[in-house]
């Protein structure tokens, strides 16, 4: 096959013959729009092979041959098109007959007029198909015998050869829809007429999108047919060529098999590692893997260690077989207590910090002491100190065990023991628990809400290096529903692990050979340690933000009030001392000193919180009975005080 332009190849292509292999005869570099090739650049070099898998009609450009104007129509256009066999129009019927004779065409000739034809017998509308069957003598003159097809029967017209047009020759047949007109190879270079378009004649220029596969390219290449590149069809001589198409693990997961698959790693996603497991270092370019299928069960639990300065983070599979025992949970605020409260499950806690009622708006709260036992009942609202409602947690203060048993016998609980904790209350509580049962991970997550405090009391027997029992406590934080793929290394089939394609999407390609199958069940590790960066990126996912943030405490007026009160006290001190400074000093001692002592006593009571003022004022009172003092010395001491 001789090289042709890509557009010519597509226009004459039989879609039933796909796929076709093309060789590029003239290289070109192009970058399509983001809608066409997703922003990917593509380079077609001379000699490249492309495998055309699909051709899609994008749009059709209609061109007026007389004016050069263009307009676009979509592939679902509902108009009908009639092909015109000639590229030009004729002014009279005589010109139409002369052109047909020169081209050795025989009668009948199909034609139409772009103007209305008026005769004595009938009016022929514009663009109405006519058939010229013969030239004969009619009433002594030569006339064209034409046939007009009507809904009932054909109608004969005798038109003079001088009848003016313009006339267009058209190909017989019923008008065709757009796709039929484009798919007929015999009509590829003809003019068309369409009654629903504003132009009498037009040229149809289709624009296609060619979807093809290229060697070692993961995505489908989408090439516009208008690209100026010459291609050659080499399908018959390329049957032995296999186009290697890379894929992502996420794409292998979406295909759903068949498994197992033998793959080779082509590319590792950029960025920091997410697992601290030994197998993570074995993932590199060229490493061969065996994908065994989808991991079961599809859920994981995010776990953090407790009791260490630097916590460690793990992702534990739902298939974990270790045994766990619940530990008392710790709650730093009343809001955390509300999050742990579950219907039908009593929640009892013990206060681990003394808390006074100062600064708390709830009128039903006085104070809490270390060791106070509370039972969380429900959430509610209370009337705050500033006249607004605040969200509170209704709790019952529990007495000692002996008194509690006595109260249970009497079945009388006083409302005075209820306290209202504002949700922003930052106390410190620990759960009161008496549960020594050993749970599996599945049972624990099914019966108790997360987060939950646990201790691993028996390790997973299928995981000899299980690190979880070595920690004094664990916090089960969140249950994650995410598909994982079970993968093993071809170099070490016994090393099996699970990869989440969402977070570790390797680029792989099918490798030759049969995947190895280990004897017995796959020894998959059920505990994977996470890096801190990946752990905190998980915590930022929308799935971990399903709860609103805890309420803020109201803006306290205590500090501003204290400042105002302090300013008032200082102002009182200054005014009082100023009065003493301005008092008439030239009076008898017996009259002045008792008065000064009385005033000094008042000053002491007002400024008793200030040690400096208290010391100076007290010295004045103690020296009040000393006759050696004169008024000047007393005034000097007050000046020092000020």
């Amino acid at each position: 096959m001789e090289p042709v332009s890509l557009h010519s190849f597509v226009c004459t292509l039989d879609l039933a013959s796909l796929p076709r292999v093309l060789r590029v005869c003239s290289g070109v570099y192009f970058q399509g729009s983001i809608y066409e090739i997703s922003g990917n650049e593509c380079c077609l070099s001379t000699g490249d092979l492309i495998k055309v898998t699909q051709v899609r009609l994008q749009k059709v450009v209609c061109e007026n041959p007389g004016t050069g104007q263009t307009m676009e129509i979509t592939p679902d256009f509902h108009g009908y098109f009639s092909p015109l066999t000639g590229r030009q129009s004729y002014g009279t019927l005589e010109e139409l007959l002369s052109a047909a004779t020169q081209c050795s065409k025989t009668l009948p000739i199909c034609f139409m007029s772009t103007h209305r034809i008026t005769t004595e017998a009938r009016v022929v509308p514009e663009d109405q198909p006519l058939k010229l069957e013969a030239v004969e003598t009619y009433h002594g003159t030569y006339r064209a015998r034409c046939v007009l097809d009507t809904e009932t029967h054909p109608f004969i017209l005798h038109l003079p050869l001088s009848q003016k047009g313009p006339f267009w020759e058209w190909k017989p047949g019923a008008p065709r829809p757009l796709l039929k007109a484009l798919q007929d190879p015999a009509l590829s270079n003809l003019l068309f007429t369409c009654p629903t378009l504003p132009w009498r004649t037009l040229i149809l220029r289709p624009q296609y999108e060619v979807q093809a596969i290229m060697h070692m390219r993961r995505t489908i290449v989408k090439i516009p047919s208008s690209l100026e590149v010459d291609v050659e069809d080499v399908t018959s001589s390329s049957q032995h060529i296999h186009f290697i198409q890379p894929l992502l693990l996420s794409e292998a997961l979406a295909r759903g098999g068949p498994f197992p698959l033998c793959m080779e790693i082509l590319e590792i996603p950029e960025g920091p590692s997410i697992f601290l497991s030994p197998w993570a270092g074995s993932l590199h370019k060229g490493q061969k893997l065996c994908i065994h299928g989808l991991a079961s069960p599809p859920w994981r639990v995010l776990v953090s260690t407790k009791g260490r300065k630097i916590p460690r983070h793990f992702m534990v599979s739902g298939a974990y077989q270790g045994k766990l025992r619940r530990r008392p949970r710790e709650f730093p605020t009343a809001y955390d207590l509300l999050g742990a409260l579950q219907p039908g499950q009593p929640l009892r806690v013990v206060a681990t910090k003394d808390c006074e009622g100062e600064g708390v708006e709830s009128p039903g709260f006085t104070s809490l002491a270390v060791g106070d036992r509370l039972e969380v009942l429900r959430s509610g609202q209370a009337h705050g100190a500033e006249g607004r409602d605040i969200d509170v947690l209704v709790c019952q203060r529990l007495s000692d065990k002996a008194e509690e048993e006595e109260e249970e016998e009497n079945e009388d609980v006083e409302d005075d023991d209820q306290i209202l904790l504002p949700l922003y209350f930052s106390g410190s509580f620990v759960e009161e628990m008496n549960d020594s049962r050993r749970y599996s991970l599945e049972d624990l997550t099914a019966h108790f809400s997360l987060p939950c405090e646990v201790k691993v009391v028996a390790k997973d027997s299928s995981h000899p290096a299980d690190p979880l029992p070595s920690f004094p406590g664990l916090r089960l934080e969140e249950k994650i529903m995410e598909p994982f793929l079970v993968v093993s290394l071809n170099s070490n089939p016994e090393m099996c692990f699970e990869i989440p394609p969402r977070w570790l999407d390797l680029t792989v390609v099918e490798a030759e050979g049969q995947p190895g199958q280990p004897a017995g069940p796959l020894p998959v590790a059920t505990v994977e340690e996470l890096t801190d960066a990946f752990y905190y990126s998980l915590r930022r996912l929308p799935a971990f933000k399903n709860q609103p943030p805890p309420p803020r405490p109201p803006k306290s007026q205590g500090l501003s009030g204290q400042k105002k009160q302090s300013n008032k006290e200082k102002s009182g001190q200054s005014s009082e001392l100023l009065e003493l400074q301005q008092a008439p000093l030239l009076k008898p001692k017996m009259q002045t000193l008792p008065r000064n002592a009385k005033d000094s006593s008042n000053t002491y009571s007002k400024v008793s919180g200030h040690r400096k003022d208290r010391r100076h004022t007290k010295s004045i009172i103690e020296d009040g009975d000393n006759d050696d003092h004169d008024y000047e010395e007393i005034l000097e001491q007050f000046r020092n005080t000020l």
Side-chain angles (χ1 to χ4, degrees), residues 216-453:
M216 295 301 294
R217 189 177 182 92
R218 186 180 60 82
T219 57
I220 297 293
V221 180
K222 299 178 181 180
I223 309 172
S225 62
S226 58
L227 189 69
E228 296 181 359
V229 58
D230 293 336
V231 294
E232 179 185 3
D233 191 345
V234 292
T235 305
S236 57
S237 59
S238 304
Q239 299 296 327
H240 63 285
I241 297 178
H242 176 63
F243 286 82
I244 300 177
Q245 186 178 8
L247 74 158
L248 298 173
L249 284 186
S250 56
E251 296 171 343
L253 176 65
R255 290 195 316 191
F259 297 111
L261 292 174
C262 189
M263 295 290 182
E264 181 179 340
I265 298 178
L266 293 181
E267 186 179 356
I268 304 293
E270 297 180 357
S273 59
I274 64 176
F275 294 113
L276 296 177
S277 304
W279 55 264
S282 302
L283 302 181
H284 53 80
K285 183 177 180 180
Q287 176 67 58
K288 292 187 177 181
L289 306 173
C290 179
I291 303 177
H292 298 278
L294 195 63
S296 180
W299 56 273
R300 306 289 185 278
V301 175
L302 201 60
V303 176
S304 295
T305 61
K306 301 279 290 183
R308 293 196 176 188
K309 292 183 179 180
I310 302 178
R312 296 167 63 182
H313 311 287
F314 298 88
M315 187 176 287
V316 182
S317 169
Y320 183 73
Q321 298 299 318
K323 295 298 181 180
L324 306 95
R325 184 173 293 157
R326 294 175 60 207
R327 293 180 71 250
R329 291 173 289 180
E330 297 177 1
F331 307 99
T333 65
Y335 182 79
D336 298 296
L337 288 175
L338 177 62
L341 184 61
Q342 297 294 324
Q345 297 182 7
L347 178 60
R348 293 184 176 184
V349 296
V350 178
T352 59
K353 185 175 71 172
D354 293 333
C355 302
E356 298 295 335
E358 297 180 0
V360 179
E361 292 188 43
S362 176
F365 175 77
T366 56
S367 64
L368 284 177
V370 175
D372 283 355
R373 300 170 58 242
L374 302 176
E375 182 174 356
V376 182
L377 300 179
R378 62 188 180 277
S379 62
Q381 284 190 334
H383 192 64
E386 297 183 0
R388 61 179 179 179
D389 292 337
I390 60 174
D391 295 327
V392 298
L393 197 63
V394 182
C395 301
Q396 183 77 36
R397 192 190 299 268
L398 302 177
S399 60
D400 296 336
K401 292 184 178 180
E403 295 177 0
E404 185 178 352
E405 293 176 359
E406 183 178 352
E407 287 178 359
E408 290 178 355
E409 292 177 0
N410 296 333
E411 296 182 356
D412 183 18
V413 179
E414 298 181 0
D415 293 339
D416 295 342
D417 290 339
Q418 283 191 357
I419 61 174
L420 306 180
L421 299 179
L423 293 187
Y424 61 80
F425 178 70
S426 59
S428 180
F429 307 93
V430 65
E431 184 177 13
E432 190 177 77
M433 180 188 298
N434 186 17
D435 186 3
S436 59
R437 179 182 170 186
R438 291 150 57 105
Y439 296 90
S440 66
L441 184 61
E442 183 178 4
D443 291 340
L444 192 66
T445 55
H447 291 87
F448 301 98
S449 61
L450 300 183
C452 181
E453 308 286 340

Side-chain angles (χ1 to χ4, degrees), residues 77-84 170-184 186-187 190 192-195 204:
F77 181 74
H78 295 295
Y80 286 83
F81 296 83
S82 298
L84 304 176
W170 64 280
K171 193 171 184 178
R176 299 163 175 81
L178 178 61
L179 296 182
K180 292 290 185 181
L182 295 176
Q183 292 173 359
D184 190 347
L187 307 180
L190 298 182
F192 290 87
T193 181
C194 179
L204 299 180

Side-chain angles (χ1 to χ4, degrees), residues 4-11 26 28-33 36 44 55-59 61 72 205-211 222-231:
V4 295
S5 67
L6 180 62
H7 183 76
S8 300
F9 171 79
V10 173
C11 290
S26 59
V28 67
Y29 170 85
F30 71 95
Q31 181 179 8
S33 69
E36 292 175 341
L44 298 179
V55 175
R56 291 182 177 179
L57 179 63
Q58 296 292 95
K59 61 183 178 181
V61 178
E72 295 182 359
R205 302 190 185 280
Q207 302 291 327
Y208 295 95
E209 179 188 76
V210 180
Q211 298 186 7
K222 299 178 181 180
I223 309 172
S225 62
S226 58
L227 189 69
E228 296 181 359
V229 58
D230 293 336
V231 294

Side-chain angles (χ1 to χ4, degrees), residues 116-126 128 148 155 157:
R116 186 173 58 179
I117 301 175
T118 304
T119 65
E120 296 178 356
R122 191 179 183 90
V123 176
V124 181
E126 59 186 17
Q128 182 69 36
L148 172 66
F155 190 84
L157 294 173

Side-chain angles (χ1 to χ4, degrees), residues 272-281 300-306 308 310-317 320 463 465-468 470-471 474 484 496-500 503-504 525-536 538:
S273 59
I274 64 176
F275 294 113
L276 296 177
S277 304
W279 55 264
R300 306 289 185 278
V301 175
L302 201 60
V303 176
S304 295
T305 61
K306 301 279 290 183
R308 293 196 176 188
I310 302 178
R312 296 167 63 182
H313 311 287
F314 298 88
M315 187 176 287
V316 182
S317 169
Y320 183 73
H463 187 20
D466 183 4
L468 300 184
S470 61
F471 300 106
L474 300 173
F484 280 61
C496 291
F497 46 91
E498 297 175 349
I499 292 181
W503 300 306
L504 188 57
T526 55
V527 180
E528 301 289 356
E529 185 170 2
L530 310 179
T531 61
D532 290 344
F534 178 58
Y535 166 78
Y536 289 112
L538 283 179

